[in-house]
Amino acid sequence: MPSDPHGLGFDHLEFDPERFSGVARVFPLPAPSLFPRTLVPLHVFEERYLELMHDALDSDGLIAMAVLKPGWEIDYASRPPVEPIACLGKIVTHHRLENGRYNTLLAGVSRVRLLEEIEPPRAFRRARVDLLAEQEPEASEPGVAELQEQLIEAFREALPHGEPPEPLMRAFQGDLPLGLLADLAAQTLPMDGRVKVSLLADPSAIDRARKVLAALASGGEPGGRLDPPSPPPFSEN
């Protein structure tokens, strides 16, 4: 896991791809909830995901946040299909409530491709996964600096009026990699779910930046509008 010179919350997070087992606990939600090098709060209450939390806390602390495919509602209690690309997250902090539920904070460490689910299943799902390398251009490549400036401007304009939250201020003022800036926008701003699935699935920083710009230009979704974002609540399973 890279260092965190921009103060985004990853200073003490350790993730060594070379030591990753290739097996991940799978926590599917209806929409993308986590992107690499971003943070998401999670409220865990279903029994199967409480077991997942216990297993993660006793081991490597890693959870693959997957995305349920459309139509999941009719089979949610079982194992409905998920999108092939997920975000592997690591537990940063957690708090067990008196009722046994958890509030936890996850940090995204890598995109992963789900290869196959492991049988027999436990109460929660597990899968063999491949880590996906980010395709990040050099800042000196032609057009990259201009694309980054366009993305920062569009990102700022999509936020509510007034000063952005401090972490985003640091992000806008710093020299963030293009891919991280695109993922921060995808994580922070409300967009159509299809757009977010496409952003999560794309390892190319340039492609993601262009997709974010197109989504913001269209109001966050095809033919739609972008509602003002709010501080992210705890995502619930």
Side-chain angles (χ1 to χ4, degrees):
M1 185 71 192
S3 62
D4 183 30
H6 306 285
L8 299 179
F10 296 91
D11 306 71
H12 306 295
L13 183 64
E14 295 182 359
F15 174 68
D16 184 356
E18 297 299 323
R19 300 182 63 182
F20 176 53
S21 69
V23 173
R25 304 161 193 86
V26 179
F27 196 135
L29 289 173
S33 57
L34 182 66
F35 288 80
R37 294 176 290 180
T38 71
L39 299 167
V40 67
L42 191 68
H43 178 64
V44 183
F45 61 89
E46 284 190 36
E47 287 297 329
R48 53 182 167 174
Y49 298 125
L50 291 175
E51 183 174 328
L52 179 151
M53 279 291 297
H54 297 156
D55 190 73
L57 291 171
D58 288 340
S59 182
D60 55 16
L62 296 172
I63 302 172
M65 300 302 296
V67 183
L68 293 162
K69 288 188 174 181
W72 58 268
E73 296 89 345
I74 61 175
D75 195 30
Y76 177 68
S78 182
R79 303 168 73 186
V82 295
E83 300 289 346
I85 306 300
C87 182
L88 188 65
K90 184 160 187 176
I91 297 172
V92 178
T93 61
H94 69 279
H95 174 63
R96 187 174 184 180
L97 307 177
E98 291 184 0
N99 59 9
R101 299 180 177 186
Y102 281 94
N103 284 337
T104 186
L105 188 65
L106 286 181
V109 297
S110 177
R111 287 174 168 80
V112 294
R113 183 180 303 278
L114 304 178
L115 301 177
E116 61 178 354
E117 291 205 34
I118 294 175
E119 303 286 353
R122 297 183 183 176
F124 58 91
R125 300 165 73 172
R126 297 171 299 150
R128 291 184 176 86
V129 306
D130 273 346
L131 301 175
L132 297 183
E134 294 292 324
Q135 299 171 14
E136 188 73 50
E138 294 293 334
S140 59
E141 287 186 25
V144 170
E146 180 181 1
L147 185 58
Q148 187 157 4
E149 290 176 4
Q150 293 174 351
L151 184 54
I152 289 175
E153 181 179 359
F155 194 165
R156 291 184 69 113
E157 289 181 354
L159 292 168
H161 295 300
E163 287 297 314
E166 185 177 346
L168 288 183
M169 281 291 291
R170 290 197 296 268
F172 295 152
Q173 294 169 356
D175 187 21
L176 285 188
L178 182 65
L180 174 52
L181 189 61
D183 284 342
L184 279 172
Q187 174 77 7
T188 304
L189 301 175
M191 299 180 192
D192 180 80
R194 293 165 293 174
V195 174
K196 291 204 174 194
V197 168
S198 176
L199 290 168
L200 181 59
D202 197 337
S204 168
I206 289 178
D207 288 349
R208 294 201 307 276
R210 289 171 175 164
K211 288 176 183 178
V212 170
L213 286 171
L216 297 181
S218 67
E221 57 181 292
R225 66 185 182 88
L226 184 68
D227 293 324
S230 58
F234 278 93
S235 298
E236 297 197 14
N237 58 292

